[in-house]
Structure formats: C-alpha cells, structure tokens
C-alpha cells in the first residue's frame, strides 16, 4: 500500500482518442497500472496510475493534453469477499471520505489492485496500515 500520483486527462470523446494516448505512453515505455474513464457528451476524463508519472506528465504536456495530478492510494489487497468493506469501514471510522475508487481483478487472482482517492491520503495510509 502506498500513496502514488494519479494523472487525470481531459480528452475529446471521439473514436481513437484513447488509442493515441496509449500509443504515446507505449512509445515512451510507460506502463499503465490502473485506468478509469468517465464520459460526458463532449469530453472524457481518463484517470490513470502509471509506472512513471513524471515522464507521462511530460509526454502529455508535449501533446497539449490538459492533465491534473492527484495523490491516490494504490493498494494491493486480497481478492476475496469483504476486503473492500473492511477498508471502507476503517476509513469511515477515521472520518476519511472515499471520493472514488476503481479496480479490476481476474476472478482467480489471489490479489487485486485498488486505487482510492480519499479526502486525506496520508491519514488513510496510517489508518489502513494499522
């Protein structure tokens, strides 16, 4: 479990836009650990955690892409029922709000990767490491 940088990109909601983003990251040898997209009528917000956020930020800025950095928790946890509930209860007791979360895990995997944007990342890290 660690605090890491998440990059939020604001992109046109058009075919091929995400492909071009992924191409630029691939060309720079940047690996995507986690990704989430949400859309509106005219744009998409793509949130991602990558292996080299500083280099990725530079790549995006070179292409004129609007990017916002945020601190998020990157948690490798057990892939079993109740794992997220346990984390959420600990954070709730500490009065830490979960602003959003995203994850994906193969059904047969023992561990999964969870990204949490919380109201206080440093406090959350302490609470969850107890």
């Amino acid at each position: 479990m660690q605090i890491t940088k998440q990059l939020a990109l604001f992109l046109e909601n058009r075919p091929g836009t995400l492909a071009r983003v992924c191409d630029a990251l691939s060309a720079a040898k940047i690996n995507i650990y986690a990704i989430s997209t949400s859309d509106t009528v005219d744009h998409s917000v793509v949130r991602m955690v990558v292996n080299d956020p500083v280099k990725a930020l530079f790549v995006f800025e070179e292409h004129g892409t609007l990017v916002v950095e945020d601190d998020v928790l990157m948690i490798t946890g057990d892939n079993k029922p109740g794992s997220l509930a346990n984390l959420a209860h600990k954070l709730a007791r500490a009065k830490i709000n979960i602003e959003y979360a995203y994850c994906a895990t193969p059904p047969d995997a023992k561990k999964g990767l969870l990204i949490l944007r919380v109201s206080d990342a440093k406090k959350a890290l302490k609470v969850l490491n107890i």
Side-chain angles (χ1 to χ4, degrees):
M1 181 177 326
Q2 67 185 49
I3 296 173
T4 191
K5 291 291 180 192
Q6 171 192 265
L7 303 177
L9 293 72
F10 298 86
L11 303 170
E12 282 188 304
N13 193 6
R14 302 271 184 264
T17 303
L18 184 59
R20 287 187 294 279
V21 165
C22 293
D23 284 344
L25 292 174
S26 177
K29 305 286 190 252
I30 297 169
N31 191 28
I32 301 169
Y33 293 147
I35 188 168
S36 169
T37 65
S38 58
D39 67 331
T40 65
V41 173
D42 58 350
H43 73 277
S44 292
V45 178
V46 178
R47 293 181 173 109
M48 63 176 61
V49 175
V50 298
N51 67 315
D52 191 340
V54 173
K55 188 175 181 182
L57 189 60
F58 180 75
V59 168
F60 294 138
E61 288 176 349
E62 274 187 323
H63 288 86
T65 303
L66 176 60
V67 181
V68 175
E69 290 179 272
D70 285 308
D71 285 336
V72 293
L73 293 179
M74 185 167 60
I75 302 167
T76 302
D78 294 330
N79 183 24
K80 62 182 184 182
S83 295
L84 181 55
N86 183 40
L87 293 173
H89 282 294
K90 286 180 181 180
L91 294 172
R93 283 191 297 272
K95 307 286 190 236
I96 299 169
N97 188 44
I98 298 172
E99 295 171 358
Y100 56 80
Y102 52 100
C103 66
T105 304
D108 58 348
K110 300 259 188 243
K111 298 283 184 181
L113 182 65
L114 171 66
I115 305 298
L116 286 180
R117 169 78 193 273
V118 293
S119 56
D120 187 334
K122 289 180 183 175
K123 183 177 176 185
L125 189 62
K126 289 177 186 174
V127 166
L128 295 176
N129 274 324
I130 293 176

